[in-house]
Amino acid sequence: MNYLMRRLSTFPLVLLGVSIVVFVAIRMVPGDSITAMLGTEAGLLTPAQRDSLAAYFGIDQPWFIQYGRWLLGILHGNLGISVTYGRPVLDVILERFPLTLELALLSMIIALAVGVPAGVFAATHNEKPSDLVVRVVAMIGQSTPNFVLALLIIYALSAGFGVLPAMGQFAPLWQDPLRNLSQLILPAITLGFAFAASVTRISRSAMLDVLSDDYVRTARSKGASARSVIWRHALPNALIPVVTLSGIEFGYLLGGAVIVEQIYALPGLGRMVLDAILQRDYALVQGSVLFIAFNFMIVNLLVDLAYVALDPRIRLGER
């Protein structure tokens, strides 16, 4: 409990640092909300008109005043108003987040369901032809960019079967589960393929280390079956680096997979942030990055707690 409270107490400090970085970074990008909205017509504005629009967008004050107002709004639960959508930033984020969360979960399930068994299989057949095949496939998966795989999938479906992935307006899971799955399964496979390759290599390496430990040899000498030794005794300890990798990857996925969302026309969090940056929607960019950072910290905390469940010898917070 003390460890949990200490970790939670660091959240405000980390979020404060992230807020400063993103606030300064987005304002260092050339252009502003007025130019992004009007384009070349912004040059036709009179000074009075530009000043009026700057006051409307809240960019007429020095940076430290803008930051102070934004930070004060956050303390009251207000992330600001998106100039692109004309709505509260938090409402826009929560509208896009369920798709990103579902896509991340599906990708994670696919990656772990494929990667862990493949890694265990390769480790138990070390230096055999089957092990070499698994390693080659894993290397190909890691070296293939997501957008290449996505385009190959779309081309194979269109040229080979005359169909295209289900796109158009996104159907939430609770409204139309079948259409929702048809829209997300291919993007999930695209994201899960490369991650499955990483999981395969990590789990194979971890299993090879664990299988040479003394307690594994002891279990074998006591007559435990090969299946019991692998899946009951060796795998739980070998999963610790897999959990670490999964937590990092899941945190990244919660930030949105921009390229995959663009290719499959998914209105996810990553695509929204990209559009907000292009439109210089300062409030939306700042709120989104803060929201993503908070999710990342939550995932990392859950990963640390999972270590204890996998290996009771680990005691968090002890010096």
Side-chain angles (χ1 to χ4, degrees):
M1 183 61 68
N2 291 334
Y3 173 80
L4 181 62
M5 295 305 298
R6 285 200 302 271
R7 285 293 299 272
L8 292 176
S9 66
T10 64
F11 278 26
L13 295 177
V14 175
L15 291 176
L16 179 63
V18 171
S19 69
I20 294 174
V21 171
V22 68
F23 184 89
V24 174
I26 187 60
R27 280 163 177 75
M28 293 180 68
V29 177
D32 53 28
S33 302
I34 300 173
T35 305
M37 180 179 67
L38 298 179
T40 57
E41 294 181 2
L44 303 177
L45 295 174
T46 64
Q49 290 173 328
R50 176 171 283 275
D51 292 342
S52 177
L53 286 174
Y56 174 77
F57 287 122
I59 57 176
D60 58 327
Q61 299 294 328
W63 283 9
F64 67 91
I65 295 180
Q66 295 181 41
Y67 178 76
R69 289 176 176 176
W70 179 56
L71 189 61
L72 185 62
I74 292 175
L75 296 177
H76 290 84
N78 179 21
L79 295 178
I81 302 296
S82 167
V83 298
T84 304
Y85 297 91
R87 297 164 51 199
V89 167
L90 188 59
D91 291 349
V92 178
I93 293 174
L94 294 180
E95 184 181 86
R96 300 294 188 99
F97 183 63
L99 184 151
T100 299
L101 177 61
E102 186 182 353
L103 181 59
L105 288 173
L106 284 175
S107 304
M108 187 69 60
I109 291 172
I110 292 172
L112 295 178
V114 174
V116 171
V120 172
F121 176 81
T124 54
H125 295 77
N126 188 31
E127 301 302 333
K128 294 181 179 179
S130 54
D131 175 36
L132 179 61
V133 170
V134 171
R135 283 189 288 170
V136 169
V137 173
M139 188 173 299
I140 293 173
Q142 277 193 304
S143 59
T144 304
N146 286 332
F147 70 89
V148 173
L149 181 59
L151 294 175
L152 287 175
I153 290 176
I154 294 175
Y155 175 77
L157 288 176
S158 60
F161 301 96
V163 296
L164 287 172
M167 297 183 181
Q169 186 174 2
F170 176 71
L173 179 63
W174 54 89
Q175 293 182 4
D176 192 344
L178 291 179
R179 179 170 174 79
N180 173 271
L181 186 61
S182 68
Q183 290 178 316
L184 290 184
I185 188 62
L186 293 180
I189 292 174
T190 302
L191 292 172
F193 182 71
F195 183 41
S198 301
V199 171
T200 298
R201 299 187 67 181
I202 290 292
S203 57
R204 176 186 177 276
S205 177
M207 280 294 293
L208 287 175
D209 291 338
V210 170
L211 289 174
S212 62
D213 287 346
D214 292 337
Y215 71 91
V216 174
R217 289 196 292 268
T218 301
R220 286 172 174 166
S221 66
K222 289 184 177 181
S225 63
R227 178 177 297 180
S228 176
V229 169
I230 293 171
W231 297 101
R232 182 179 177 184
H233 297 282
L235 183 60
N237 289 317
L239 283 179
I240 291 179
V242 176
V243 169
T244 302
L245 177 66
S246 300
I248 296 173
E249 183 68 19
F250 190 65
Y252 283 130
L253 289 175
L254 287 181
V258 180
I259 296 178
V260 172
E261 289 176 2
Q262 284 284 95
I263 292 175
Y264 289 100
L266 295 175
L269 201 58
R271 189 179 176 191
M272 180 199 71
V273 173
L274 177 61
D275 292 340
I277 293 173
L278 296 176
Q279 295 295 325
R280 306 297 188 272
D281 193 339
Y282 296 150
L284 186 55
V285 174
Q286 294 163 187
S288 299
V289 173
L290 210 60
F291 182 78
I292 292 169
F294 178 75
N295 288 333
F296 212 108
M297 289 189 294
I298 292 293
V299 171
N300 284 337
L301 178 60
L302 294 177
V303 166
D304 287 346
L305 298 178
Y307 291 157
V308 179
L310 290 172
D311 190 348
R313 294 173 297 178
I314 298 177
R315 291 293 179 265
L316 298 176
E318 292 187 0
R319 297 182 179 179

